[in-house]
Amino acid sequence: MSHQAPQDVLPDALPNVLTVAGSDSGGGAGVQADLKTMLALGVHGMSVITAVTAQNSLGVQGAWELPVEAVRAQYRSVVDDIGVQAVKTGMLASAALVETVAELLAGTDAPVVVDPVGVSKHGDPLLAASALDSVRERLLPVATVATPNLDEVAQLTGVTVETEADLRRAAAAVLEYGPRWALIKGGHLAGDAVDLLTDGTEEHWLRAPRHDNRHTHGTGCTLASAVAAGLGKGLTVPDAVRQAKEYVTGAIAAGFSLGGGIGPVDHGWRLR
């Protein structure tokens, strides 16, 4: 079934961008971060909630995935009535949910940003080990852009990145699973925050100064949602990623303390 593509948006209408992800009760990551990002970047954010987490600045205290039928019903409800110009996926929790979402995405005519969420900022698992094959074989092939961090690259491909030079090898390993573009986030390396975007032919290296701020909860969700917002507006993948990197860099610089642990990035930094 085909649905609205980016070029079908009326000139005076906001592009509709959908996040398919888990809820973060602390508001720093997950669906909450995605919707804040979409608002900040001028698109209409919509959500399909895949799981509910009890989560705060200290970590994830519990997670409950939603039934497949609930996820499918939310998706169909939004896409069939409202239409969608871009989709972002985050926490999908289980193999059954990964496969359901991949099937829904394959039938939707809109660009897809896949953030292959494996663990939280605190190291809490957000994806069952049994779901990794489903991510590799079903989800990554429908992605316009995949946005793994270095831990997720290792989890999915076995490639360990220790230096900037290793980013190319990591990207090639991810592209083998079928996404059109891979954005390998090198934020865990020393030095500047450097990311590599490539489709296997062209390369875009994105650099930003590293901000000395430990309040970085939600960076991955925020970046992927920002890319989706750009694609929803009709930007090319390199332009959408460039815009997203700029937005996230500012949000990290403005990250603030919340609770007793790691605080969130500031999604509204441009509005203050």
Side-chain angles (χ1 to χ4, degrees):
M1 191 185 296
S2 179
H3 303 286
Q4 280 186 307
Q7 62 269 26
D8 298 326
V9 188
L10 296 173
D12 57 347
L14 288 179
N16 300 316
V17 180
L18 175 63
T19 170
V20 182
S23 165
D24 171 5
S25 55
V31 164
Q32 287 81 351
D34 299 339
L35 294 176
K36 291 173 190 177
T37 299
M38 292 169 189
L39 178 67
L41 294 177
V43 299
H44 173 63
M46 309 178 297
S47 63
V48 170
I49 294 178
T50 59
V52 175
T53 69
Q55 187 171 169
N56 56 26
S57 70
L58 301 172
V60 179
Q61 290 81 43
W64 300 265
E65 66 187 74
L66 267 66
V68 162
E69 306 77 55
V71 170
R72 186 180 283 117
Q74 290 177 82
Y75 189 98
R76 289 265 65 93
S77 174
V78 169
V79 173
D80 293 349
D81 172 52
I82 300 171
V84 65
Q85 278 71 56
V87 184
K88 175 257 177 178
T89 71
M91 176 186 178
L92 298 181
S94 68
L97 286 180
V98 170
E99 288 168 19
T100 297
V101 170
E103 177 192 330
L104 291 164
L105 293 172
T108 304
D109 186 14
V112 176
V113 180
V114 169
D115 185 17
V117 175
V119 296
S120 76
K121 179 71 69 182
H122 304 87
D124 302 293
L126 300 176
L127 181 74
S130 57
L132 283 171
D133 280 342
S134 300
V135 172
R136 295 182 191 106
E137 295 164 14
R138 302 289 298 279
L139 190 61
L140 289 177
V142 299
T144 308
V145 191
T147 65
N149 63 29
L150 301 187
D151 291 338
E152 290 153 359
V153 166
Q155 199 176 30
L156 288 165
T157 70
V159 173
T160 303
V161 175
E162 292 174 349
T163 67
E164 199 175 294
D166 295 332
L167 291 174
R168 275 200 184 99
R169 199 160 49 90
V174 171
L175 287 171
E176 279 187 24
Y177 291 113
R180 281 184 38 217
W181 292 81
L183 174 61
I184 309 299
K185 300 178 295 192
H188 295 171
L189 295 174
D192 284 353
V194 59
D195 306 324
L196 171 60
L197 173 71
T198 180
D199 62 354
T201 304
E202 56 184 274
E203 281 186 355
H204 302 268
W205 292 84
L206 299 105
R207 295 177 186 280
R210 183 176 298 281
H211 294 290
D212 184 20
N213 185 353
R214 73 190 190 91
H215 300 301
T216 55
H217 185 53
T219 46
C221 307
T222 300
L223 180 67
S225 295
V227 174
L231 295 178
K233 292 175 176 176
L235 296 182
T236 64
V237 169
D239 284 347
V241 169
R242 208 169 284 119
Q243 178 192 75
K245 173 84 167 177
E246 189 181 310
Y247 170 71
V248 170
T249 300
I252 291 170
F256 56 93
S257 173
L258 194 72
I262 299 173
V265 301
D266 183 359
H267 297 97
W269 66 274
R270 280 181 172 152
L271 310 174
R272 306 208 193 285

